[in-house]
PDB file of all heavy atoms in Angstrom:
ATOM      1  N   SER A   1       0.854  -1.185   0.000  1.00 40.00           N
ATOM      2  CA  SER A   1       0.000   0.000   0.000  1.00 40.00           C
ATOM      3  C   SER A   1       0.883   1.227   0.000  1.00 40.00           C
ATOM      4  O   SER A   1       1.874   1.295   0.712  1.00 40.00           O
ATOM      5  CB  SER A   1      -0.908   0.027   1.233  1.00 40.00           C
ATOM      6  OG  SER A   1      -1.509   1.302   1.389  1.00 40.00           O
ATOM      7  N   ASN A   2       0.516   2.242  -0.780  1.00 40.00           N
ATOM      8  CA  ASN A   2       1.305   3.465  -0.832  1.00 40.00           C
ATOM      9  C   ASN A   2       1.135   4.310   0.419  1.00 40.00           C
ATOM     10  O   ASN A   2       1.933   5.191   0.703  1.00 40.00           O
ATOM     11  CB  ASN A   2       0.927   4.289  -2.063  1.00 40.00           C
ATOM     12  CG  ASN A   2       1.417   3.671  -3.348  1.00 40.00           C
ATOM     13  OD1 ASN A   2       2.409   2.957  -3.335  1.00 40.00           O
ATOM     14  ND2 ASN A   2       0.729   3.920  -4.440  1.00 40.00           N
ATOM     15  N   GLU A   3       0.080   4.089   1.194  1.00 39.00           N
ATOM     16  CA  GLU A   3      -0.172   4.887   2.386  1.00 39.00           C
ATOM     17  C   GLU A   3       0.146   4.145   3.666  1.00 39.00           C
ATOM     18  O   GLU A   3      -0.274   4.541   4.748  1.00 39.00           O
ATOM     19  CB  GLU A   3      -1.647   5.338   2.422  1.00 39.00           C
ATOM     20  CG  GLU A   3      -1.991   6.424   1.413  1.00 39.00           C
ATOM     21  CD  GLU A   3      -2.058   5.909  -0.010  1.00 39.00           C
ATOM     22  OE1 GLU A   3      -2.590   4.811  -0.212  1.00 39.00           O
ATOM     23  OE2 GLU A   3      -1.564   6.593  -0.903  1.00 39.00           O
ATOM     24  N   ALA A   4       0.864   3.038   3.573  1.00 41.00           N
ATOM     25  CA  ALA A   4       1.104   2.211   4.754  1.00 41.00           C
ATOM     26  C   ALA A   4       2.053   2.883   5.730  1.00 41.00           C
ATOM     27  O   ALA A   4       2.870   3.697   5.360  1.00 41.00           O
ATOM     28  CB  ALA A   4       1.674   0.868   4.333  1.00 41.00           C
ATOM     29  N   HIS A   5       1.947   2.503   7.009  1.00 47.00           N
ATOM     30  CA  HIS A   5       2.802   3.029   8.063  1.00 47.00           C
ATOM     31  C   HIS A   5       3.445   1.871   8.791  1.00 47.00           C
ATOM     32  O   HIS A   5       2.744   1.026   9.346  1.00 47.00           O
ATOM     33  CB  HIS A   5       1.991   3.868   9.060  1.00 47.00           C
ATOM     34  CG  HIS A   5       1.417   5.112   8.449  1.00 47.00           C
ATOM     35  ND1 HIS A   5       1.931   6.358   8.686  1.00 47.00           N
ATOM     36  CD2 HIS A   5       0.394   5.294   7.584  1.00 47.00           C
ATOM     37  CE1 HIS A   5       1.233   7.265   8.016  1.00 47.00           C
ATOM     38  NE2 HIS A   5       0.302   6.638   7.346  1.00 47.00           N
ATOM     39  N   ALA A   6       4.777   1.855   8.836  1.00 44.00           N
ATOM     40  CA  ALA A   6       5.476   0.784   9.539  1.00 44.00           C
ATOM     41  C   ALA A   6       5.339   0.913  11.041  1.00 44.00           C
ATOM     42  O   ALA A   6       5.507  -0.055  11.766  1.00 44.00           O
ATOM     43  CB  ALA A   6       6.946   0.773   9.147  1.00 44.00           C
ATOM     44  N   ASP A   7       5.014   2.131  11.546  1.00 47.00           N
ATOM     45  CA  ASP A   7       4.967   2.339  12.984  1.00 47.00           C
ATOM     46  C   ASP A   7       3.545   2.300  13.549  1.00 47.00           C
ATOM     47  O   ASP A   7       3.288   2.804  14.629  1.00 47.00           O
ATOM     48  CB  ASP A   7       5.643   3.662  13.345  1.00 47.00           C
ATOM     49  CG  ASP A   7       5.072   4.838  12.564  1.00 47.00           C
ATOM     50  OD1 ASP A   7       4.291   4.599  11.612  1.00 47.00           O
ATOM     51  OD2 ASP A   7       5.403   5.977  12.922  1.00 47.00           O
ATOM     52  N   ARG A   8       2.591   1.702  12.826  1.00 52.00           N
ATOM     53  CA  ARG A   8       1.241   1.572  13.362  1.00 52.00           C
ATOM     54  C   ARG A   8       1.227   0.534  14.480  1.00 52.00           C
ATOM     55  O   ARG A   8       2.127  -0.301  14.569  1.00 52.00           O
ATOM     56  CB  ARG A   8       0.262   1.178  12.258  1.00 52.00           C
ATOM     57  CG  ARG A   8       0.555  -0.170  11.609  1.00 52.00           C
ATOM     58  CD  ARG A   8      -0.379  -0.410  10.433  1.00 52.00           C
ATOM     59  NE  ARG A   8      -0.062  -1.634   9.730  1.00 52.00           N
ATOM     60  CZ  ARG A   8      -0.457  -2.831  10.106  1.00 52.00           C
ATOM     61  NH1 ARG A   8      -1.168  -2.979  11.213  1.00 52.00           N
ATOM     62  NH2 ARG A   8      -0.141  -3.894   9.405  1.00 52.00           N
ATOM     63  N   PRO A   9       0.204   0.521  15.361  1.00 53.00           N
ATOM     64  CA  PRO A   9       0.184  -0.414  16.486  1.00 53.00           C
ATOM     65  C   PRO A   9       0.216  -1.871  16.038  1.00 53.00           C
ATOM     66  O   PRO A   9      -0.378  -2.245  15.030  1.00 53.00           O
ATOM     67  CB  PRO A   9      -1.142  -0.085  17.184  1.00 53.00           C
ATOM     68  CG  PRO A   9      -1.450   1.319  16.775  1.00 53.00           C
ATOM     69  CD  PRO A   9      -0.925   1.450  15.374  1.00 53.00           C
ATOM     70  N   VAL A  10       0.931  -2.686  16.767  1.00 49.00           N
ATOM     71  CA  VAL A  10       0.980  -4.115  16.480  1.00 49.00           C
ATOM     72  C   VAL A  10      -0.374  -4.733  16.815  1.00 49.00           C
ATOM     73  O   VAL A  10      -0.929  -4.498  17.892  1.00 49.00           O
ATOM     74  CB  VAL A  10       2.098  -4.792  17.303  1.00 49.00           C
ATOM     75  CG1 VAL A  10       2.070  -6.291  17.099  1.00 49.00           C
ATOM     76  CG2 VAL A  10       3.450  -4.210  16.909  1.00 49.00           C
ATOM     77  N   GLN A  11      -0.905  -5.530  15.900  1.00 65.00           N
ATOM     78  CA  GLN A  11      -2.255  -6.058  16.064  1.00 65.00           C
ATOM     79  C   GLN A  11      -2.310  -7.390  16.797  1.00 65.00           C
ATOM     80  O   GLN A  11      -3.336  -7.738  17.357  1.00 65.00           O
ATOM     81  CB  GLN A  11      -2.903  -6.223  14.677  1.00 65.00           C
ATOM     82  CG  GLN A  11      -3.022  -4.910  13.909  1.00 65.00           C
ATOM     83  CD  GLN A  11      -3.876  -3.910  14.649  1.00 65.00           C
ATOM     84  OE1 GLN A  11      -4.990  -4.207  15.077  1.00 65.00           O
ATOM     85  NE2 GLN A  11      -3.345  -2.708  14.833  1.00 65.00           N
ATOM     86  N   SER A  12      -1.247  -8.139  16.780  1.00 81.00           N
ATOM     87  CA  SER A  12      -1.281  -9.454  17.412  1.00 81.00           C
ATOM     88  C   SER A  12       0.135  -9.907  17.723  1.00 81.00           C
ATOM     89  O   SER A  12       1.112  -9.354  17.189  1.00 81.00           O
ATOM     90  CB  SER A  12      -1.942 -10.481  16.486  1.00 81.00           C
ATOM     91  OG  SER A  12      -1.126 -10.723  15.359  1.00 81.00           O
ATOM     92  N   ALA A  13       0.243 -10.940  18.581  1.00 86.00           N
ATOM     93  CA  ALA A  13       1.558 -11.497  18.898  1.00 86.00           C
ATOM     94  C   ALA A  13       2.191 -12.096  17.644  1.00 86.00           C
ATOM     95  O   ALA A  13       3.407 -12.017  17.453  1.00 86.00           O
ATOM     96  CB  ALA A  13       1.419 -12.556  19.982  1.00 86.00           C
ATOM     97  N   ARG A  14       1.360 -12.697  16.794  1.00 85.00           N
ATOM     98  CA  ARG A  14       1.890 -13.297  15.566  1.00 85.00           C
ATOM     99  C   ARG A  14       2.448 -12.226  14.639  1.00 85.00           C
ATOM    100  O   ARG A  14       3.521 -12.387  14.062  1.00 85.00           O
ATOM    101  CB  ARG A  14       0.788 -14.080  14.864  1.00 85.00           C
ATOM    102  CG  ARG A  14       1.252 -14.790  13.586  1.00 85.00           C
ATOM    103  CD  ARG A  14       0.203 -15.798  13.126  1.00 85.00           C
ATOM    104  NE  ARG A  14       0.644 -16.466  11.915  1.00 85.00           N
ATOM    105  CZ  ARG A  14       0.225 -16.130  10.690  1.00 85.00           C
ATOM    106  NH1 ARG A  14      -0.629 -15.148  10.529  1.00 85.00           N
ATOM    107  NH2 ARG A  14       0.667 -16.791   9.635  1.00 85.00           N
ATOM    108  N   GLU A  15       1.712 -11.126  14.495  1.00 84.00           N
ATOM    109  CA  GLU A  15       2.196 -10.037  13.667  1.00 84.00           C
ATOM    110  C   GLU A  15       3.482  -9.455  14.243  1.00 84.00           C
ATOM    111  O   GLU A  15       4.419  -9.138  13.503  1.00 84.00           O
ATOM    112  CB  GLU A  15       1.138  -8.933  13.571  1.00 84.00           C
ATOM    113  CG  GLU A  15       1.577  -7.771  12.698  1.00 84.00           C
ATOM    114  CD  GLU A  15       0.498  -6.719  12.578  1.00 84.00           C
ATOM    115  OE1 GLU A  15      -0.561  -7.013  11.986  1.00 84.00           O
ATOM    116  OE2 GLU A  15       0.720  -5.610  13.100  1.00 84.00           O
ATOM    117  N   LYS A  16       3.557  -9.338  15.551  1.00 85.00           N
ATOM    118  CA  LYS A  16       4.765  -8.823  16.192  1.00 85.00           C
ATOM    119  C   LYS A  16       5.959  -9.714  15.890  1.00 85.00           C
ATOM    120  O   LYS A  16       7.063  -9.229  15.608  1.00 85.00           O
ATOM    121  CB  LYS A  16       4.550  -8.721  17.701  1.00 85.00           C
ATOM    122  CG  LYS A  16       5.741  -8.145  18.452  1.00 85.00           C
ATOM    123  CD  LYS A  16       5.446  -8.021  19.946  1.00 85.00           C
ATOM    124  CE  LYS A  16       6.658  -7.454  20.684  1.00 85.00           C
ATOM    125  NZ  LYS A  16       6.397  -7.334  22.145  1.00 85.00           N
ATOM    126  N   ALA A  17       5.749 -11.037  15.946  1.00 88.00           N
ATOM    127  CA  ALA A  17       6.839 -11.971  15.661  1.00 88.00           C
ATOM    128  C   ALA A  17       7.290 -11.863  14.210  1.00 88.00           C
ATOM    129  O   ALA A  17       8.492 -11.925  13.907  1.00 88.00           O
ATOM    130  CB  ALA A  17       6.398 -13.398  15.971  1.00 88.00           C
ATOM    131  N   ILE A  18       6.328 -11.697  13.296  1.00 87.00           N
ATOM    132  CA  ILE A  18       6.659 -11.553  11.881  1.00 87.00           C
ATOM    133  C   ILE A  18       7.484 -10.290  11.659  1.00 87.00           C
ATOM    134  O   ILE A  18       8.524 -10.300  10.989  1.00 87.00           O
ATOM    135  CB  ILE A  18       5.375 -11.515  11.030  1.00 87.00           C
ATOM    136  CG1 ILE A  18       4.695 -12.886  11.025  1.00 87.00           C
ATOM    137  CG2 ILE A  18       5.692 -11.083   9.589  1.00 87.00           C
ATOM    138  CD1 ILE A  18       3.329 -12.879  10.385  1.00 87.00           C
ATOM    139  N   ARG A  19       7.018  -9.192  12.256  1.00 87.00           N
ATOM    140  CA  ARG A  19       7.725  -7.929  12.102  1.00 87.00           C
ATOM    141  C   ARG A  19       9.130  -8.002  12.711  1.00 87.00           C
ATOM    142  O   ARG A  19      10.086  -7.441  12.161  1.00 87.00           O
ATOM    143  CB  ARG A  19       6.922  -6.801  12.748  1.00 87.00           C
ATOM    144  CG  ARG A  19       5.671  -6.447  11.984  1.00 87.00           C
ATOM    145  CD  ARG A  19       4.907  -5.346  12.650  1.00 87.00           C
ATOM    146  NE  ARG A  19       5.695  -4.123  12.757  1.00 87.00           N
ATOM    147  CZ  ARG A  19       5.167  -2.913  12.942  1.00 87.00           C
ATOM    148  NH1 ARG A  19       3.861  -2.779  13.045  1.00 87.00           N
ATOM    149  NH2 ARG A  19       5.945  -1.859  13.039  1.00 87.00           N
ATOM    150  N   GLN A  20       9.260  -8.678  13.826  1.00 91.00           N
ATOM    151  CA  GLN A  20      10.562  -8.761  14.480  1.00 91.00           C
ATOM    152  C   GLN A  20      11.559  -9.519  13.620  1.00 91.00           C
ATOM    153  O   GLN A  20      12.723  -9.116  13.496  1.00 91.00           O
ATOM    154  CB  GLN A  20      10.435  -9.432  15.851  1.00 91.00           C
ATOM    155  CG  GLN A  20      11.687  -9.317  16.710  1.00 91.00           C
ATOM    156  CD  GLN A  20      12.020  -7.881  17.070  1.00 91.00           C
ATOM    157  OE1 GLN A  20      11.139  -7.128  17.481  1.00 91.00           O
ATOM    158  NE2 GLN A  20      13.282  -7.485  16.893  1.00 91.00           N
ATOM    159  N   ARG A  21      11.124 -10.619  13.003  1.00 93.00           N
ATOM    160  CA  ARG A  21      12.044 -11.359  12.139  1.00 93.00           C
ATOM    161  C   ARG A  21      12.433 -10.533  10.919  1.00 93.00           C
ATOM    162  O   ARG A  21      13.602 -10.540  10.501  1.00 93.00           O
ATOM    163  CB  ARG A  21      11.432 -12.687  11.699  1.00 93.00           C
ATOM    164  CG  ARG A  21      12.461 -13.515  10.906  1.00 93.00           C
ATOM    165  CD  ARG A  21      11.955 -14.846  10.452  1.00 93.00           C
ATOM    166  NE  ARG A  21      12.989 -15.522   9.684  1.00 93.00           N
ATOM    167  CZ  ARG A  21      12.796 -16.602   8.945  1.00 93.00           C
ATOM    168  NH1 ARG A  21      11.589 -17.163   8.899  1.00 93.00           N
ATOM    169  NH2 ARG A  21      13.798 -17.149   8.267  1.00 93.00           N
ATOM    170  N   LEU A  22      11.474  -9.810  10.354  1.00 93.00           N
ATOM    171  CA  LEU A  22      11.787  -8.957   9.214  1.00 93.00           C
ATOM    172  C   LEU A  22      12.774  -7.857   9.608  1.00 93.00           C
ATOM    173  O   LEU A  22      13.623  -7.463   8.807  1.00 93.00           O
ATOM    174  CB  LEU A  22      10.499  -8.337   8.654  1.00 93.00           C
ATOM    175  CG  LEU A  22       9.512  -9.308   8.002  1.00 93.00           C
ATOM    176  CD1 LEU A  22       8.204  -8.602   7.685  1.00 93.00           C
ATOM    177  CD2 LEU A  22      10.098  -9.942   6.744  1.00 93.00           C
ATOM    178  N   LYS A  23      12.667  -7.384  10.830  1.00 93.00           N
ATOM    179  CA  LYS A  23      13.578  -6.350  11.319  1.00 93.00           C
ATOM    180  C   LYS A  23      14.973  -6.896  11.589  1.00 93.00           C
ATOM    181  O   LYS A  23      15.976  -6.200  11.382  1.00 93.00           O
ATOM    182  CB  LYS A  23      13.007  -5.736  12.600  1.00 93.00           C
ATOM    183  CG  LYS A  23      13.863  -4.636  13.193  1.00 93.00           C
ATOM    184  CD  LYS A  23      13.218  -4.079  14.458  1.00 93.00           C
ATOM    185  CE  LYS A  23      14.089  -2.974  15.072  1.00 93.00           C
ATOM    186  NZ  LYS A  23      13.473  -2.432  16.307  1.00 93.00           N
ATOM    187  N   ASP A  24      15.067  -8.142  12.017  1.00 94.00           N
ATOM    188  CA  ASP A  24      16.340  -8.716  12.450  1.00 94.00           C
ATOM    189  C   ASP A  24      17.099  -9.455  11.355  1.00 94.00           C
ATOM    190  O   ASP A  24      18.311  -9.645  11.471  1.00 94.00           O
ATOM    191  CB  ASP A  24      16.104  -9.693  13.613  1.00 94.00           C
ATOM    192  CG  ASP A  24      15.603  -8.992  14.859  1.00 94.00           C
ATOM    193  OD1 ASP A  24      15.759  -7.760  14.957  1.00 94.00           O
ATOM    194  OD2 ASP A  24      15.031  -9.677  15.732  1.00 94.00           O
ATOM    195  N   ASP A  25      16.418  -9.917  10.317  1.00 96.00           N
ATOM    196  CA  ASP A  25      17.008 -10.831   9.336  1.00 96.00           C
ATOM    197  C   ASP A  25      16.899 -10.223   7.939  1.00 96.00           C
ATOM    198  O   ASP A  25      15.857 -10.321   7.289  1.00 96.00           O
ATOM    199  CB  ASP A  25      16.283 -12.180   9.407  1.00 96.00           C
ATOM    200  CG  ASP A  25      16.908 -13.244   8.520  1.00 96.00           C
ATOM    201  OD1 ASP A  25      17.666 -12.902   7.606  1.00 96.00           O
ATOM    202  OD2 ASP A  25      16.608 -14.442   8.747  1.00 96.00           O
ATOM    203  N   LEU A  26      17.967  -9.605   7.464  1.00 97.00           N
ATOM    204  CA  LEU A  26      17.930  -8.933   6.164  1.00 97.00           C
ATOM    205  C   LEU A  26      17.649  -9.898   5.023  1.00 97.00           C
ATOM    206  O   LEU A  26      16.874  -9.582   4.116  1.00 97.00           O
ATOM    207  CB  LEU A  26      19.251  -8.198   5.915  1.00 97.00           C
ATOM    208  CG  LEU A  26      19.437  -7.603   4.506  1.00 97.00           C
ATOM    209  CD1 LEU A  26      18.306  -6.660   4.150  1.00 97.00           C
ATOM    210  CD2 LEU A  26      20.783  -6.902   4.407  1.00 97.00           C
ATOM    211  N   GLU A  27      18.282 -11.057   5.030  1.00 97.00           N
ATOM    212  CA  GLU A  27      18.074 -11.988   3.913  1.00 97.00           C
ATOM    213  C   GLU A  27      16.613 -12.419   3.830  1.00 97.00           C
ATOM    214  O   GLU A  27      16.035 -12.499   2.742  1.00 97.00           O
ATOM    215  CB  GLU A  27      19.001 -13.197   4.051  1.00 97.00           C
ATOM    216  CG  GLU A  27      18.987 -14.096   2.831  1.00 97.00           C
ATOM    217  CD  GLU A  27      20.150 -15.060   2.765  1.00 97.00           C
ATOM    218  OE1 GLU A  27      21.013 -15.038   3.673  1.00 97.00           O
ATOM    219  OE2 GLU A  27      20.216 -15.835   1.790  1.00 97.00           O
TER     220      GLU A  27
END
């Protein structure tokens, strides 16, 4: 989405885990 925000509230523990791996693992 062109209007997306990376800093919006985390919606669930699963989403938080997904975001954390994306933040920590460049590959």
Side-chain angles (χ1 to χ4, degrees):
S1 167
N2 288 333
E3 287 73 41
H5 295 255
D7 54 350
R8 62 186 176 82
V10 175
Q11 299 299 310
S12 68
R14 182 167 180 260
E15 181 178 294
K16 182 178 179 180
I18 290 171
R19 289 180 60 160
Q20 191 64 47
R21 186 179 178 193
L22 293 171
K23 181 180 179 180
D24 294 342
D25 186 342
L26 172 56
E27 188 164 359

